Amino acid sequence: MSDGRRTNPTEEHARRHVAEEWDEAHFSTHCVNCVPADCPIYVLVKDGKVVREEAAGVREPMEPGVPDMNPMICQAGLAWSLGMEGPDRLEYPLRRVGERGEGRWERISWDEALTEVADAILDAIEEVGPESLVHEVSPQIGSGHAAWRFTDVLGGQLLDVNATINDFHTGYLQTFGKSSIAHSNDDAFHSELILVWHSNPAYTNIPWFHFMAEARYRGAEIILISPDVSPSHSHVDYHIPVRHGTDGALALAACQVIISEGLVDWGFAASQTDLPLLVRTDTGQYLRQSHLERGGRDDRFFHAHPERGAVPADPANLLLDFKPLAEGTLEVETLDAGRVRVEPLFARLRRMLDEHYTPEQAAEICEVHPDAIRLLARKVASRKTRIPVGVGICKYYHGDLMNRSMLLLLGLTGNWGKKGAGAASWNSFMFDGSSMAMAKTEAGVEAGKALLEASRAIRRHVMEQDPTLSEELADREVVRLLGGRMMLPPAFYWYTHAGFRERWNNPAWNDPDMPRDFDAYYWEAVDSQAWNPATEIAATKPPRVLLEVGGNTLRRTRGGKNALLRNLWPKLTKIVCMDFRMSQTAIYADIVLPAAQHHEKTAFAMPTPWPFILSMSHAVVPPYGESRDEWPVMIDLLEKIAERASARGLESYQRSDGTSRRYDELRNLFTLNGALEDKESVVREELADAVSSGNLPPGTTIETFREKGYSHYNDWAFVSLLTANASPFPRNETHSPLRNHVELGHPYPTLTRRAQFLIDHPWYQEAGEDLPCHKEPPAMGGDYPFRLSGGHSRWSVHAMNMTNPLLLETHRGKPFVLINDRVACEKGIEDDSPVRVWNDVGEFVVPARTSPAQRPDGLTVYNGFEGFLFPGGNGSNEVEVGMVKWLHLAAGYGHLFHSPIEWQPVPFDRCIFVDCKLFVGDSDPAGSKSAVS
Amino acid sequence: MTETHSKADRQVGLVFDLNKCMGCQSCSVACKMLWTRGKGEEHQWWCTTNTMPGRGTPRDWEQMGGGYRDGELVLGHEPSLEEFGGGWKFNKEDVFFGGKGQSVHLTPITADGTPPTWGPNWDEDQGGGRFPNAYFFYLPRICNHCTRPACVEACPSGAMYKREEDGIVLRDQDVCQGSRKCMQACPYKKIYFNHVSGVAQHCNLCFPRLERGVAPACARNCPGRLVFVGMLDDEKDPVHRLVHEWKVALPLHPEFGTEPNVFYVPPLSPYRLREDRSIDTETMRIPPEYLESLFGPRVHEVLAKLRSEIERVREGGRSELLDTLIVYYWKMLFGPFAEEPAVVEAAKGEAR
């Protein structure tokens, strides 16, 4: 600007404020479980303290003609530095004084704290075994890795994080044989039709919401399908206000329209799905090779060739040189039942849809207009359609059915495996370095190469055994054979130790069509051995020590904190919580350890294909108070365990897999014989391994991250969770998963090697869920008129930012229940007055926010509000039952087998049945009956 | 009254595209983190994003008066601390360390020790209409750095002025007497009072950043990529084109008479549902009269133009207007203000 302009001390003061605000700028990031993540940010430091963060906006564009991803930031990141100091930042180790949850603490030294924890672990190992140490794996990869490794080295229980959180799309796995697929954020720009369905991107996808708005300016249309007028409605074209839990009927009716109007992309469906496969009309099952020939396989199926009758469906290559019939019947000679009529699955599906899911029928169920369903169907059939499904659908009891129905809609219309199309999920582990670190027993790049070569050798061996397997399928087979121990499905632990047996067996809270008792299925699953070792450990190893690092079990476990406090807490001799803030779990812990956090330590953000970059937190300021990085703390703890063991004359112990460990070798196991003493050496090792494997570009080091703010990826990570994307690694283009199946005919990792809509497992047939269908949401919580649902909040990444003073001020500074304005009025509930919400499970009190955007029978409490934000200390999870669905215990069927992060029973928290009324007086404030002994 | 310094040589302008705002508050938070964390600034949010329809902050600001009527300056209501809301404190010590178990919970308290009755974004996501045709959108607001700033005319001490080189409206705090006439005069109620220092304060458009070629914190940290910053007289600048060439960026409440230099591309909205829940594709659900009350009578033709451009592009046509609104490269938002706010230590070369 101009010289010699008028200025004054105020202007000069403002200029100095900006010029002297900081003296050092660094790149860093927030290592949190927000997906997308990896936002490169400027961290501005003055006198050794972070004063502010700002978007860096340095990410290079991906595909020409597609908007770039910058700035990549959100309000939580911008205010984050306020949480780096007290009062809710933990400054030194604490020991509980008084009862758990009382909130009285004494300050202790690190040495005292670790000694107490070490003693408790030794007691637990002596009493029960190392499996009595329980760690719920943290999604915060930046922090959680050390505790994972500690627990693994010791032999404790690692509970599967994707079940404790439940971001697992059961419906994807049932259909595709995998759930771990993702798009790049910018792929939405290619979409012609975007269905915002079970998602609230205005709240949850802040850094890449803009791609949807930009797609709209390119001509895309956007349809919101949600029970309420959600906050994401503002920038959509259509809203279909579907009743809670009836989305399956909506999707199936759209499928009925597509079929009856002749809009099916049969070329796609015939190649990519099981719809052309022949099914028996007597048993309802697929026709199998084993039905026709002695010694035939159970996993080989048939098409109906227009001239040649039943022909084998190729298990290795989906590309067809003929058009299988969609209709008609054939007769075949079976070994078990003589002559049997068979027909393409499509014919049966069509009859089912015509009978039960016309638009008029679905409109009744969903409380929408049949023309809205026709509009949806015709648009999906004629446009490149993307459903950016959030992780809310999987938290519905029948979310799997709804999910399968959505995928059927896409499968009939050729809408996946193409840029701008498809549906996707949560996807992480895109970083070879951290995956390899969990498996390596020796340090160094050569050891990493050997590990990779060994895994490739196993894969080659599996492919030799079955040459019809692709690399992806071989990887999944390896997971099936070897993956069971990596993380344990927590369902069995909850059932046995946290009081969920009673809940899950309550017929009132289950699907009323569940044919037998929950226990019948549970014990059948246990007896099948398919869920070992989790079932064995749950049965024989009661929990004694809970190690909470980078997680918050009391806030997030479905079923409420009171369920855990009543059932699990009394069994625990020691609860250790390491965090940077006083969380719900920390308040109820025995020992609280202060963790270093972002910008105070070296760590990685979430390695995920969404942004296709990896970012790091760098140690640019010293840790606050006595807080420490988790890695050296775990080392110290292992040393302390060895020291205390020696003092007791203990040398070694047995793990439940039969192996034994010496106390004095634990430290070396953890540090790979001294190679990994501190976080930075870990990070360097991981980067070296990822460069060597080709996952990251050559020359990538911590220094290049510090200079550039992030790193590109060079290739997919080697783990099966990433090869599941089944698309070419994108070079200068957006990424959409499943392209290899569509373009190259690669098989899917399912029983039929195709996207599978029929699950002919006996339990599924018994339940009538072998084909996707609509089922009413069960009365989880009792017979009450309101449907309580939620979603990730706008104002915090889970609970992490819930007490940030600035972020609290961007809303009302407290939780709220969103209630329809007219309904509230009828109940005498004014805006902001307290409301009691209850059902047969529990209750809580929360202020009302009234709005016409809420459905009359709907209530919404967003996720992440800790119990201590509610009067009486009970949060909305107190009314959650925490049900799981019996069909998710099915195993030993093709692609339904326990796999880490994926197939297992997962708990639900959406569409809870509750009632509500104005809360008057504190004669019985919610929570007084739930005091912990 | 002071002579208005309204004859700026050049004028910085901003355009907020309301078809992209998701109400995340990043702009508000970015501004507050940079500017208003000092004493007496606790309740000051120079940038606010509110749900519309809604009462906003300060509560019912649209009815508080100020601005010009028939060319004459009008002094309106001076908003109180309670009407602005904010500046809350929390009882963290008590909840986390006070040994009181479940008998206390974390709760906000205002400066006078009472529970809040309003805040900078109190009526978030409440909106208007009736289920299922409820509707709302988000409206970020900063000081409009008006061409005819009522605050400057109302200022009795001459503290307030409008810079010639860029049209930014500022206040000389050494001259400010704390009369708060500016707060009465501003019809947008975007001026705050610092009760500790005794002077008024408001958005300074991050002028020290602009002078270095760096975009304002609100614009630069907006993940929606919806804030255009540029010089209104530069014919090539997107801000100029959106306001003066395509004329799709409109002032908010033009009837206030202050000629704001912050403009808005008005929001499209989802189609209405009829009684029987069928979709009425002729009618968007935000009532046109409501939008007209905010952006003036041209809002209807602007929305129609956006719709027709989108349809044209859907059929394979090209639209320079939409290409500009898409913002293919993030930095294109900022015109001459696309410099980095920082150079990181590691990139400073051999000094390390």
Side-chain angles (χ1 to χ4, degrees), chain A residues 17 21 51-52 78-79 82 805-807 809-810, chain B residues 25-38 40-48 85-88 120 192 206 217-218:
Chain A
H17 175 80
E21 190 198 6
V51 296
R52 191 166 60 86
L78 290 165
L82 293 177
L806 217 66
L807 297 177
E809 210 160 287
T810 62
Chain B
Q25 309 289 329
S26 297
C27 54
S28 318
V29 168
C31 172
K32 189 158 178 57
M33 286 297 287
L34 175 54
W35 289 111
T36 57
R37 288 194 278 159
E41 295 173 343
E42 293 84 356
H43 68 292
Q44 295 192 33
W45 288 79
W46 295 349
C47 173
T48 51
W88 301 335
Y192 289 83
C206 281
C218 55

Coordinates of all heavy atoms in Angstrom, one line a residue, chain A residues 17 21 51-52 78-79 82 805-807 809-810, chain B residues 25-38 40-48 85-88 120 192 206 217-218:
Chain A
H17 N 0.8 -5.8 16.6 CA 0.1 -7.0 17.1 C 0.3 -8.2 16.1 O 0.5 -9.3 16.5 CB -1.4 -6.7 17.3 CG -2.2 -7.9 17.7 ND1 -2.3 -8.4 19.0 CD2 -3.0 -8.7 17.0 CE1 -3.1 -9.4 19.0 NE2 -3.5 -9.6 17.8
E21 N 3.1 -11.1 16.9 CA 2.3 -12.1 17.5 C 3.1 -13.3 17.8 O 2.8 -14.0 18.7 CB 1.1 -12.3 16.6 CG 0.0 -13.2 17.2 CD -0.9 -13.8 16.2 OE1 -0.7 -13.7 15.0 OE2 -1.9 -14.4 16.6
V51 N 0.7 -19.8 20.1 CA -0.3 -18.7 20.3 C -1.5 -18.8 19.4 O -2.6 -18.4 19.7 CB 0.4 -17.3 20.1 CG1 1.4 -17.0 21.2 CG2 0.9 -17.1 18.7
R52 N -1.3 -19.5 18.3 CA -2.4 -19.6 17.4 C -2.1 -20.6 16.3 O -0.9 -20.9 16.0 CB -2.7 -18.2 16.8 CG -4.0 -18.1 16.0 CD -4.3 -16.6 15.7 NE -3.3 -15.9 14.9 CZ -3.2 -15.9 13.6 NH1 -4.1 -16.5 12.9 NH2 -2.2 -15.3 13.0
L78 N -8.6 -24.4 14.6 CA -8.2 -23.0 14.8 C -8.2 -22.6 16.2 O -7.5 -21.7 16.6 CB -9.2 -22.1 14.0 CG -9.1 -22.2 12.5 CD1 -10.3 -21.6 11.8 CD2 -7.8 -21.5 12.0
A79 N -9.0 -23.3 17.1 CA -9.1 -22.9 18.5 C -8.3 -23.9 19.4 O -8.3 -23.8 20.6 CB -10.5 -22.9 19.0
L82 N -6.0 -23.3 22.6 CA -6.6 -22.9 23.9 C -6.7 -24.1 24.8 O -6.7 -24.0 26.0 CB -8.0 -22.3 23.7 CG -8.1 -21.0 22.9 CD1 -9.5 -20.6 22.7 CD2 -7.3 -19.9 23.7
P805 N -13.1 -23.4 25.5 CA -13.9 -22.3 25.9 C -14.4 -21.5 24.7 O -15.6 -21.0 24.7 CB -13.0 -21.4 26.8 CG -11.7 -21.9 26.5 CD -11.7 -23.3 26.1
L806 N -13.6 -21.4 23.7 CA -14.1 -20.7 22.5 C -15.1 -21.4 21.7 O -16.1 -20.9 21.3 CB -12.9 -20.4 21.6 CG -12.9 -19.0 20.9 CD1 -12.8 -17.9 22.0 CD2 -11.8 -18.9 19.9
L807 N -14.9 -22.7 21.6 CA -15.8 -23.5 20.9 C -17.2 -23.7 21.6 O -18.2 -23.7 21.0 CB -15.2 -24.9 20.6 CG -14.0 -24.9 19.7 CD1 -13.4 -26.3 19.5 CD2 -14.3 -24.2 18.3
E809 N -18.5 -21.4 23.2 CA -19.2 -20.1 23.0 C -19.8 -20.0 21.6 O -20.6 -19.1 21.3 CB -18.3 -18.9 23.2 CG -19.0 -17.7 23.8 CD -18.1 -16.8 24.5 OE1 -17.6 -17.1 25.6 OE2 -17.8 -15.7 23.9
T810 N -19.4 -20.9 20.7 CA -20.0 -20.9 19.3 C -21.3 -21.6 19.3 O -22.0 -21.6 18.3 CB -19.1 -21.6 18.3 OG1 -18.9 -23.0 18.6 CG2 -17.7 -20.9 18.2
Chain B
Q25 N -18.3 -21.8 11.8 CA -17.7 -20.9 12.7 C -16.2 -20.8 12.6 O -15.6 -20.2 13.5 CB -18.1 -21.2 14.1 CG -19.6 -21.4 14.4 CD -20.3 -20.1 14.3 OE1 -19.8 -19.0 14.6 NE2 -21.6 -20.2 13.9
S26 N -15.6 -21.3 11.5 CA -14.2 -21.2 11.4 C -13.8 -19.7 11.3 O -12.8 -19.3 11.9 CB -13.6 -22.0 10.2 OG -13.9 -23.3 10.4
C27 N -14.5 -19.0 10.5 CA -14.2 -17.6 10.3 C -14.3 -16.8 11.6 O -13.4 -16.1 12.0 CB -15.2 -16.9 9.3 SG -17.0 -17.1 9.7
S28 N -15.3 -17.0 12.4 CA -15.5 -16.3 13.7 C -14.4 -16.7 14.6 O -13.8 -15.8 15.3 CB -16.8 -16.7 14.3 OG -17.9 -16.8 13.4
V29 N -14.1 -18.0 14.7 CA -13.0 -18.4 15.6 C -11.7 -17.9 15.2 O -10.9 -17.4 16.0 CB -13.0 -20.0 15.7 CG1 -11.8 -20.5 16.4 CG2 -14.3 -20.4 16.4
A30 N -11.4 -17.9 13.9 CA -10.1 -17.4 13.4 C -9.9 -16.0 13.7 O -8.8 -15.6 14.2 CB -10.0 -17.6 11.9
C31 N -10.9 -15.2 13.6 CA -10.9 -13.8 13.9 C -10.6 -13.6 15.4 O -9.7 -12.8 15.8 CB -12.1 -13.1 13.5 SG -12.3 -11.4 14.1
K32 N -11.4 -14.3 16.2 CA -11.3 -14.0 17.7 C -9.9 -14.5 18.2 O -9.3 -13.8 19.0 CB -12.4 -14.8 18.4 CG -12.5 -14.4 19.9 CD -13.8 -14.7 20.5 CE -13.9 -14.4 22.0 NZ -13.6 -13.1 22.4
M33 N -9.4 -15.6 17.6 CA -8.1 -16.1 18.1 C -7.0 -15.0 17.8 O -6.0 -14.9 18.5 CB -7.8 -17.4 17.4 CG -8.5 -18.6 17.9 SD -8.2 -19.0 19.6 CE -6.5 -19.7 19.5
L34 N -7.2 -14.3 16.7 CA -6.2 -13.3 16.3 C -6.3 -12.0 17.0 O -5.4 -11.4 17.5 CB -6.2 -13.1 14.8 CG -5.3 -12.0 14.2 CD1 -3.9 -12.2 14.6 CD2 -5.4 -12.0 12.7
W35 N -7.6 -11.6 17.2 CA -7.8 -10.2 17.6 C -8.4 -9.9 19.0 O -8.1 -8.9 19.6 CB -8.7 -9.5 16.6 CG -8.0 -9.2 15.3 CD1 -8.3 -9.8 14.1 CD2 -6.9 -8.3 15.0 NE1 -7.4 -9.3 13.1 CE2 -6.6 -8.4 13.7 CE3 -6.2 -7.4 15.8 CZ2 -5.5 -7.7 13.1 CZ3 -5.2 -6.7 15.3 CH2 -4.9 -6.8 13.9
T36 N -9.3 -10.8 19.4 CA -10.1 -10.4 20.6 C -9.9 -11.3 21.8 O -10.9 -11.9 22.3 CB -11.5 -10.2 20.3 OG1 -12.1 -11.4 19.7 CG2 -11.7 -9.1 19.3
R37 N -8.7 -11.5 22.2 CA -8.5 -12.3 23.4 C -7.9 -11.5 24.6 O -7.5 -12.1 25.6 CB -7.6 -13.5 23.1 CG -8.3 -14.6 22.2 CD -7.5 -15.9 22.2 NE -6.4 -15.8 21.3 CZ -5.3 -16.6 21.4 NH1 -5.2 -17.5 22.3 NH2 -4.4 -16.6 20.4
G38 N -8.0 -10.2 24.4 CA -7.4 -9.4 25.5 C -8.5 -9.0 26.5 O -9.7 -9.4 26.4
G40 N -11.3 -7.2 28.4 CA -12.4 -6.4 27.9 C -12.9 -6.9 26.5 O -13.9 -6.3 26.0
E41 N -12.2 -7.9 26.0 CA -12.6 -8.4 24.7 C -13.3 -9.7 24.7 O -13.6 -10.3 23.7 CB -11.3 -8.4 23.8 CG -10.7 -7.1 23.5 CD -9.4 -7.2 22.8 OE1 -8.8 -8.3 22.8 OE2 -8.9 -6.1 22.3
E42 N -13.5 -10.2 25.9 CA -14.0 -11.6 26.1 C -15.3 -11.9 25.3 O -15.4 -12.9 24.7 CB -14.2 -11.9 27.6 CG -13.0 -11.9 28.4 CD -12.6 -10.5 28.9 OE1 -13.2 -9.6 28.5 OE2 -11.6 -10.4 29.7
H43 N -16.1 -10.9 25.2 CA -17.4 -11.1 24.6 C -17.4 -10.6 23.1 O -18.4 -10.7 22.4 CB -18.5 -10.3 25.3 CG -18.4 -8.9 25.2 ND1 -17.3 -8.2 25.8 CD2 -19.1 -7.9 24.5 CE1 -17.4 -6.9 25.5 NE2 -18.5 -6.7 24.7
Q44 N -16.2 -10.1 22.7 CA -16.2 -9.5 21.4 C -15.9 -10.6 20.3 O -14.9 -11.3 20.3 CB -15.1 -8.5 21.3 CG -15.4 -7.3 22.2 CD -14.5 -6.1 21.9 OE1 -14.1 -5.9 20.8 NE2 -14.1 -5.3 22.9
W45 N -16.9 -10.7 19.4 CA -16.7 -11.6 18.2 C -16.9 -10.7 17.0 O -18.1 -10.5 16.6 CB -17.8 -12.7 18.3 CG -17.6 -13.8 19.3 CD1 -17.9 -13.7 20.6 CD2 -17.0 -15.1 19.0 NE1 -17.5 -14.9 21.2 CE2 -17.0 -15.8 20.3 CE3 -16.6 -15.8 17.9 CZ2 -16.6 -17.1 20.4 CZ3 -16.1 -17.1 18.0 CH2 -16.1 -17.7 19.3
W46 N -15.8 -10.2 16.5 CA -16.0 -9.3 15.4 C -16.6 -9.9 14.1 O -17.2 -9.3 13.4 CB -14.6 -8.6 15.0 CG -14.0 -7.8 16.1 CD1 -14.6 -7.3 17.2 CD2 -12.7 -7.3 16.1 NE1 -13.7 -6.6 18.0 CE2 -12.5 -6.5 17.3 CE3 -11.6 -7.4 15.2 CZ2 -11.4 -5.9 17.6 CZ3 -10.4 -6.7 15.6 CH2 -10.3 -6.0 16.8
C47 N -16.3 -11.2 14.0 CA -17.0 -11.9 12.9 C -17.9 -12.9 13.6 O -17.5 -13.6 14.5 CB -15.9 -12.7 12.1 SG -16.6 -13.8 10.9
T48 N -19.1 -12.9 13.1 CA -20.1 -13.9 13.7 C -20.8 -14.5 12.5 O -20.9 -14.0 11.4 CB -21.2 -13.1 14.5 OG1 -21.7 -12.0 13.8 CG2 -20.6 -12.6 15.8
G85 N -24.2 -11.3 24.2 CA -23.9 -12.7 24.8 C -22.4 -12.9 24.7 O -21.6 -12.2 24.1
G86 N -21.9 -14.0 25.2 CA -20.5 -14.4 25.1 C -19.7 -14.0 26.3 O -20.2 -13.4 27.3
G87 N -18.4 -14.2 26.3 CA -17.5 -13.9 27.4 C -17.8 -14.8 28.6 O -17.7 -14.4 29.7
W88 N -18.1 -16.0 28.3 CA -18.5 -16.9 29.4 C -17.3 -17.5 30.1 O -16.2 -17.7 29.5 CB -19.3 -18.1 28.8 CG -20.5 -17.7 28.1 CD1 -21.3 -16.6 28.3 CD2 -21.2 -18.4 27.1 NE1 -22.4 -16.5 27.5 CE2 -22.4 -17.7 26.7 CE3 -21.0 -19.7 26.5 CZ2 -23.3 -18.1 25.7 CZ3 -21.9 -20.1 25.5 CH2 -23.1 -19.3 25.1
P120 N -23.2 -15.6 21.1 CA -22.9 -15.2 19.8 C -23.6 -16.0 18.7 O -23.6 -15.6 17.6 CB -21.4 -15.3 19.7 CG -20.9 -15.4 21.1 CD -22.0 -15.9 21.9
Y192 N -18.4 -3.2 19.1 CA -18.4 -3.7 20.5 C -17.8 -2.6 21.4 O -17.0 -1.8 20.9 CB -17.6 -5.0 20.6 CG -18.2 -6.2 20.0 CD1 -18.1 -6.4 18.7 CD2 -19.0 -7.1 20.8 CE1 -18.7 -7.5 18.1 CE2 -19.6 -8.2 20.2 CZ -19.5 -8.4 18.9 OH -20.1 -9.5 18.3
C206 N -8.5 -6.9 9.2 CA -7.1 -7.4 9.2 C -6.2 -6.5 8.4 O -5.4 -7.0 7.6 CB -7.1 -8.8 8.7 SG -7.6 -10.1 9.9
A217 N -8.1 -13.0 8.3 CA -8.1 -14.3 8.9 C -9.4 -15.0 8.6 O -9.4 -16.3 8.4 CB -7.9 -14.2 10.4
C218 N -10.5 -14.3 8.6 CA -11.8 -15.0 8.4 C -11.8 -15.6 7.0 O -12.2 -16.8 6.9 CB -13.0 -14.0 8.5 SG -12.8 -12.5 7.5

